[in-house]
Amino acid sequence: MKSNQISLTFSSIPENVSLARLLIASVGGQLDLSLNDIEELKVAVSEAVSNAIIHGYQNVPNNIVYLDLDITNNLLTIVVKDEGCGISNVEQAMQPAYSTDPERMGLGFVFMQSFMDELQVKSALEEGTIVTMKKHFKQTPISSH
Ligand SMILES: Nc1ncnc2c1ncn2[C@@H]1O[C@H](COP(=O)(O)OP(=O)(O)OP(=O)(O)O)[C@@H](O)[C@H]1O
Ligand SMILES: [Mg+2]
């Protein structure tokens, strides 16, 4: 079984959301996933990364977002981590349409939940947030040249 581990750290600027999307699209393209699955992975990753930048770091640009991808045994694991403000009540934050920002829809976690097979959120105030998402795929990753 072919495995793969990728770690990316980047500044908390909105431009890097597209970088994260590109990375997951490339990795997803190497797995036995449909184009629709890949689109969903891109949405899930960009929602988690956007949350880290917008909420975790409150749009302050000189902070670091961590994105880790792991492919082992037909399972893709995506971890998005920030060392920002943290979430006081994770259960409440994950409710559909809940947002601390009245301008927002409060749907980021809803997308992550519905597009991924598993979603786990660990958070501590003033320490940060770790979002772990898992997706199963069918076959051995194909090699691309
Ligand atoms: N990394 C994070 N750090 C701190 N707070 C967070 C983080 N991620 C989410 N939250 C909190 O959880 C709430 C819900 O997040 P969610 O992504 O579902 O909605 P949203 O970001 O408010 O709106 P949308 O994603 O639709 O633009 C946010 O409003 C915010 O208060
Ligand atoms: Mg969001």
Side-chain angles (χ1 to χ4, degrees):
M1 183 61 59
K2 200 171 166 187
S3 73
N4 195 3
Q5 283 77 40
I6 298 164
S7 291
L8 183 71
T9 60
F10 52 86
S11 298
S12 51
I13 56 172
E15 290 88 332
N16 283 335
V17 175
S18 62
L19 180 73
R21 287 170 68 92
L22 277 176
L23 178 62
I24 195 63
S26 169
V27 169
Q30 296 168 35
L31 309 177
D32 186 26
L33 290 170
S34 66
L35 285 179
N36 186 57
D37 282 341
I38 293 171
E39 281 308 311
E40 292 182 350
L41 281 181
K42 284 162 71 178
V43 173
V45 167
S46 52
E47 290 296 333
V49 169
S50 298
N51 279 353
I53 295 170
I54 296 166
H55 302 298
Y57 293 130
Q58 292 158 339
N59 289 308
V60 177
N62 60 336
N63 290 292
I64 302 293
V65 180
Y66 303 80
L67 173 61
D68 292 300
L69 306 180
D70 179 280
I71 297 159
T72 309
N73 294 333
N74 293 7
L75 179 65
L76 167 65
T77 303
I78 303 167
V79 180
V80 177
K81 186 179 104 171
D82 69 69
E83 295 171 327
C85 66
I87 303 171
S88 57
N89 184 336
V90 170
E91 206 185 323
Q92 180 185 46
M94 292 176 76
Q95 294 296 314
Y98 176 86
S99 179
T100 45
D101 179 347
E103 305 275 295
R104 298 200 158 267
M105 303 287 285
L107 293 178
F109 282 129
V110 175
F111 286 132
M112 291 181 238
Q113 188 98 61
S114 61
F115 292 157
M116 302 297 294
D117 295 330
E118 280 178 48
L119 170 66
Q120 183 194 60
V121 181
K122 281 191 190 167
S123 193
L125 282 180
E126 310 306 328
E127 286 180 25
T129 301
I130 303 173
V131 174
T132 304
M133 302 182 275
K134 294 182 191 251
K135 182 132 191 132
H136 297 275
F137 56 91
K138 275 177 259 153
Q139 289 164 19
T140 310
I142 50 168
S143 60
S144 65
H145 299 282

PDB file of all heavy atoms in Angstrom, residues 5 11 47 55 60 62 65 69 87 89-90 93 95-96 101 110 131 134 138 141:
ATOM      1  N   GLN A   5       2.735  11.412   3.029  1.00  0.00           N
ATOM      2  CA  GLN A   5       2.548  12.426   4.065  1.00  0.00           C
ATOM      3  C   GLN A   5       3.047  13.762   3.539  1.00  0.00           C
ATOM      4  O   GLN A   5       4.135  13.835   2.974  1.00  0.00           O
ATOM      5  CB  GLN A   5       3.347  12.080   5.345  1.00  0.00           C
ATOM      6  CG  GLN A   5       2.722  10.999   6.202  1.00  0.00           C
ATOM      7  CD  GLN A   5       2.952   9.608   5.631  1.00  0.00           C
ATOM      8  OE1 GLN A   5       4.030   9.301   5.126  1.00  0.00           O
ATOM      9  NE2 GLN A   5       1.944   8.768   5.705  1.00  0.00           N
ATOM     10  N   SER A  11       1.467  31.495   5.823  1.00  0.00           N
ATOM     11  CA  SER A  11       1.009  32.698   6.523  1.00  0.00           C
ATOM     12  C   SER A  11      -0.507  32.800   6.464  1.00  0.00           C
ATOM     13  O   SER A  11      -1.144  32.357   5.491  1.00  0.00           O
ATOM     14  CB  SER A  11       1.596  33.952   5.872  1.00  0.00           C
ATOM     15  OG  SER A  11       2.996  33.923   5.958  1.00  0.00           O
ATOM     16  N   GLU A  47     -12.784  25.786   3.673  1.00  0.00           N
ATOM     17  CA  GLU A  47     -13.571  26.256   4.819  1.00  0.00           C
ATOM     18  C   GLU A  47     -12.741  26.208   6.109  1.00  0.00           C
ATOM     19  O   GLU A  47     -12.770  27.144   6.910  1.00  0.00           O
ATOM     20  CB  GLU A  47     -14.843  25.414   4.985  1.00  0.00           C
ATOM     21  CG  GLU A  47     -15.884  25.632   3.888  1.00  0.00           C
ATOM     22  CD  GLU A  47     -16.459  27.042   3.832  1.00  0.00           C
ATOM     23  OE1 GLU A  47     -16.485  27.725   4.871  1.00  0.00           O
ATOM     24  OE2 GLU A  47     -16.854  27.470   2.738  1.00  0.00           O
ATOM     25  N   HIS A  55     -11.206  33.514  11.744  1.00  0.00           N
ATOM     26  CA  HIS A  55     -11.637  33.445  13.151  1.00  0.00           C
ATOM     27  C   HIS A  55     -10.452  33.198  14.081  1.00  0.00           C
ATOM     28  O   HIS A  55     -10.277  33.915  15.069  1.00  0.00           O
ATOM     29  CB  HIS A  55     -12.665  32.333  13.339  1.00  0.00           C
ATOM     30  CG  HIS A  55     -13.889  32.485  12.490  1.00  0.00           C
ATOM     31  ND1 HIS A  55     -14.743  33.557  12.606  1.00  0.00           N
ATOM     32  CD2 HIS A  55     -14.390  31.703  11.498  1.00  0.00           C
ATOM     33  CE1 HIS A  55     -15.737  33.414  11.725  1.00  0.00           C
ATOM     34  NE2 HIS A  55     -15.535  32.307  11.033  1.00  0.00           N
ATOM     35  N   VAL A  60      -5.349  38.639  11.269  1.00  0.00           N
ATOM     36  CA  VAL A  60      -4.001  39.177  11.458  1.00  0.00           C
ATOM     37  C   VAL A  60      -3.052  38.321  10.623  1.00  0.00           C
ATOM     38  O   VAL A  60      -3.018  37.090  10.783  1.00  0.00           O
ATOM     39  CB  VAL A  60      -3.602  39.164  12.951  1.00  0.00           C
ATOM     40  CG1 VAL A  60      -2.173  39.655  13.122  1.00  0.00           C
ATOM     41  CG2 VAL A  60      -4.584  40.019  13.754  1.00  0.00           C
ATOM     42  N   ASN A  62       0.319  37.863  10.117  1.00  0.00           N
ATOM     43  CA  ASN A  62       1.651  37.279  10.368  1.00  0.00           C
ATOM     44  C   ASN A  62       1.605  36.084  11.317  1.00  0.00           C
ATOM     45  O   ASN A  62       2.426  35.942  12.206  1.00  0.00           O
ATOM     46  CB  ASN A  62       2.609  38.350  10.898  1.00  0.00           C
ATOM     47  CG  ASN A  62       2.113  38.962  12.193  1.00  0.00           C
ATOM     48  OD1 ASN A  62       0.917  38.937  12.475  1.00  0.00           O
ATOM     49  ND2 ASN A  62       3.020  39.492  12.997  1.00  0.00           N
ATOM     50  N   VAL A  65      -0.564  29.014   9.610  1.00  0.00           N
ATOM     51  CA  VAL A  65      -1.570  27.956   9.493  1.00  0.00           C
ATOM     52  C   VAL A  65      -0.841  26.670   9.090  1.00  0.00           C
ATOM     53  O   VAL A  65       0.075  26.706   8.259  1.00  0.00           O
ATOM     54  CB  VAL A  65      -2.635  28.309   8.430  1.00  0.00           C
ATOM     55  CG1 VAL A  65      -3.677  27.197   8.305  1.00  0.00           C
ATOM     56  CG2 VAL A  65      -3.309  29.639   8.763  1.00  0.00           C
ATOM     57  N   LEU A  69      -1.468  16.505   5.467  1.00  0.00           N
ATOM     58  CA  LEU A  69      -2.228  15.481   4.749  1.00  0.00           C
ATOM     59  C   LEU A  69      -1.545  14.138   4.960  1.00  0.00           C
ATOM     60  O   LEU A  69      -0.310  14.049   4.938  1.00  0.00           O
ATOM     61  CB  LEU A  69      -2.252  15.786   3.246  1.00  0.00           C
ATOM     62  CG  LEU A  69      -2.744  17.169   2.823  1.00  0.00           C
ATOM     63  CD1 LEU A  69      -2.688  17.289   1.310  1.00  0.00           C
ATOM     64  CD2 LEU A  69      -4.152  17.424   3.331  1.00  0.00           C
ATOM     65  N   ILE A  87     -11.902  28.220  20.277  1.00  0.00           N
ATOM     66  CA  ILE A  87     -13.374  28.252  20.242  1.00  0.00           C
ATOM     67  C   ILE A  87     -13.881  27.941  21.647  1.00  0.00           C
ATOM     68  O   ILE A  87     -13.496  26.923  22.227  1.00  0.00           O
ATOM     69  CB  ILE A  87     -13.928  27.215  19.244  1.00  0.00           C
ATOM     70  CG1 ILE A  87     -13.365  27.460  17.841  1.00  0.00           C
ATOM     71  CG2 ILE A  87     -15.453  27.233  19.226  1.00  0.00           C
ATOM     72  CD1 ILE A  87     -13.696  26.359  16.832  1.00  0.00           C
ATOM     73  N   ASN A  89     -17.010  27.239  22.683  1.00  0.00           N
ATOM     74  CA  ASN A  89     -17.976  26.138  22.740  1.00  0.00           C
ATOM     75  C   ASN A  89     -18.033  25.475  21.359  1.00  0.00           C
ATOM     76  O   ASN A  89     -18.712  25.966  20.451  1.00  0.00           O
ATOM     77  CB  ASN A  89     -19.349  26.698  23.152  1.00  0.00           C
ATOM     78  CG  ASN A  89     -20.384  25.595  23.327  1.00  0.00           C
ATOM     79  OD1 ASN A  89     -20.251  24.504  22.753  1.00  0.00           O
ATOM     80  ND2 ASN A  89     -21.408  25.877  24.114  1.00  0.00           N
ATOM     81  N   VAL A  90     -17.299  24.385  21.215  1.00  0.00           N
ATOM     82  CA  VAL A  90     -17.165  23.742  19.905  1.00  0.00           C
ATOM     83  C   VAL A  90     -18.508  23.187  19.426  1.00  0.00           C
ATOM     84  O   VAL A  90     -18.858  23.323  18.254  1.00  0.00           O
ATOM     85  CB  VAL A  90     -16.091  22.626  19.958  1.00  0.00           C
ATOM     86  CG1 VAL A  90     -16.112  21.794  18.681  1.00  0.00           C
ATOM     87  CG2 VAL A  90     -14.710  23.232  20.167  1.00  0.00           C
ATOM     88  N   ALA A  93     -20.470  25.987  18.075  1.00  0.00           N
ATOM     89  CA  ALA A  93     -19.861  26.523  16.849  1.00  0.00           C
ATOM     90  C   ALA A  93     -20.183  25.642  15.640  1.00  0.00           C
ATOM     91  O   ALA A  93     -20.281  26.140  14.515  1.00  0.00           O
ATOM     92  CB  ALA A  93     -18.347  26.645  17.028  1.00  0.00           C
ATOM     93  N   GLN A  95     -22.951  23.986  15.111  1.00  0.00           N
ATOM     94  CA  GLN A  95     -24.372  23.993  14.743  1.00  0.00           C
ATOM     95  C   GLN A  95     -24.567  24.709  13.397  1.00  0.00           C
ATOM     96  O   GLN A  95     -23.960  25.752  13.158  1.00  0.00           O
ATOM     97  CB  GLN A  95     -25.205  24.749  15.795  1.00  0.00           C
ATOM     98  CG  GLN A  95     -25.251  24.106  17.160  1.00  0.00           C
ATOM     99  CD  GLN A  95     -25.918  22.753  17.144  1.00  0.00           C
ATOM    100  OE1 GLN A  95     -26.975  22.583  16.549  1.00  0.00           O
ATOM    101  NE2 GLN A  95     -25.265  21.774  17.750  1.00  0.00           N
ATOM    102  N   PRO A  96     -25.451  24.166  12.543  1.00  0.00           N
ATOM    103  CA  PRO A  96     -25.737  24.845  11.278  1.00  0.00           C
ATOM    104  C   PRO A  96     -26.211  26.276  11.523  1.00  0.00           C
ATOM    105  O   PRO A  96     -27.008  26.520  12.431  1.00  0.00           O
ATOM    106  CB  PRO A  96     -26.862  24.009  10.662  1.00  0.00           C
ATOM    107  CG  PRO A  96     -26.719  22.668  11.285  1.00  0.00           C
ATOM    108  CD  PRO A  96     -26.171  22.890  12.664  1.00  0.00           C
ATOM    109  N   ASP A 101     -20.011  35.888  13.625  1.00  0.00           N
ATOM    110  CA  ASP A 101     -19.960  37.064  12.751  1.00  0.00           C
ATOM    111  C   ASP A 101     -21.300  37.177  12.025  1.00  0.00           C
ATOM    112  O   ASP A 101     -21.642  36.329  11.201  1.00  0.00           O
ATOM    113  CB  ASP A 101     -18.813  36.876  11.748  1.00  0.00           C
ATOM    114  CG  ASP A 101     -18.696  38.049  10.770  1.00  0.00           C
ATOM    115  OD1 ASP A 101     -19.631  38.877  10.694  1.00  0.00           O
ATOM    116  OD2 ASP A 101     -17.659  38.115  10.081  1.00  0.00           O
ATOM    117  N   VAL A 110     -20.698  22.885   8.543  1.00  0.00           N
ATOM    118  CA  VAL A 110     -21.735  22.058   7.891  1.00  0.00           C
ATOM    119  C   VAL A 110     -21.171  21.415   6.626  1.00  0.00           C
ATOM    120  O   VAL A 110     -21.347  20.216   6.378  1.00  0.00           O
ATOM    121  CB  VAL A 110     -22.983  22.908   7.559  1.00  0.00           C
ATOM    122  CG1 VAL A 110     -24.007  22.081   6.776  1.00  0.00           C
ATOM    123  CG2 VAL A 110     -23.597  23.476   8.819  1.00  0.00           C
ATOM    124  N   VAL A 131      -8.558  20.984  13.415  1.00  0.00           N
ATOM    125  CA  VAL A 131      -9.672  20.361  12.704  1.00  0.00           C
ATOM    126  C   VAL A 131      -9.118  19.139  11.966  1.00  0.00           C
ATOM    127  O   VAL A 131      -8.208  19.268  11.144  1.00  0.00           O
ATOM    128  CB  VAL A 131     -10.313  21.349  11.704  1.00  0.00           C
ATOM    129  CG1 VAL A 131     -11.378  20.656  10.855  1.00  0.00           C
ATOM    130  CG2 VAL A 131     -10.907  22.545  12.448  1.00  0.00           C
ATOM    131  N   LYS A 134     -11.501  13.222   7.784  1.00  0.00           N
ATOM    132  CA  LYS A 134     -11.083  11.966   7.147  1.00  0.00           C
ATOM    133  C   LYS A 134     -12.000  11.601   5.997  1.00  0.00           C
ATOM    134  O   LYS A 134     -13.210  11.832   6.065  1.00  0.00           O
ATOM    135  CB  LYS A 134     -11.088  10.825   8.172  1.00  0.00           C
ATOM    136  CG  LYS A 134     -10.043  11.029   9.254  1.00  0.00           C
ATOM    137  CD  LYS A 134     -10.017   9.885  10.237  1.00  0.00           C
ATOM    138  CE  LYS A 134      -9.163  10.262  11.429  1.00  0.00           C
ATOM    139  NZ  LYS A 134      -7.899   9.555  11.484  1.00  0.00           N
ATOM    140  N   LYS A 138     -11.339   4.308  -2.504  1.00  0.00           N
ATOM    141  CA  LYS A 138     -11.494   2.887  -2.802  1.00  0.00           C
ATOM    142  C   LYS A 138     -10.190   2.121  -2.984  1.00  0.00           C
ATOM    143  O   LYS A 138     -10.002   1.065  -2.424  1.00  0.00           O
ATOM    144  CB  LYS A 138     -12.372   2.720  -4.053  1.00  0.00           C
ATOM    145  CG  LYS A 138     -13.858   2.746  -3.715  1.00  0.00           C
ATOM    146  CD  LYS A 138     -14.708   2.657  -4.961  1.00  0.00           C
ATOM    147  CE  LYS A 138     -15.245   4.017  -5.355  1.00  0.00           C
ATOM    148  NZ  LYS A 138     -15.540   4.213  -6.730  1.00  0.00           N
ATOM    149  N   PRO A 141      -3.661   4.507  -4.283  1.00  0.00           N
ATOM    150  CA  PRO A 141      -3.413   5.686  -5.108  1.00  0.00           C
ATOM    151  C   PRO A 141      -2.661   5.313  -6.375  1.00  0.00           C
ATOM    152  O   PRO A 141      -1.748   4.502  -6.344  1.00  0.00           O
ATOM    153  CB  PRO A 141      -2.537   6.567  -4.218  1.00  0.00           C
ATOM    154  CG  PRO A 141      -2.745   6.072  -2.833  1.00  0.00           C
ATOM    155  CD  PRO A 141      -3.125   4.620  -2.948  1.00  0.00           C
TER     156      PRO A 141
END
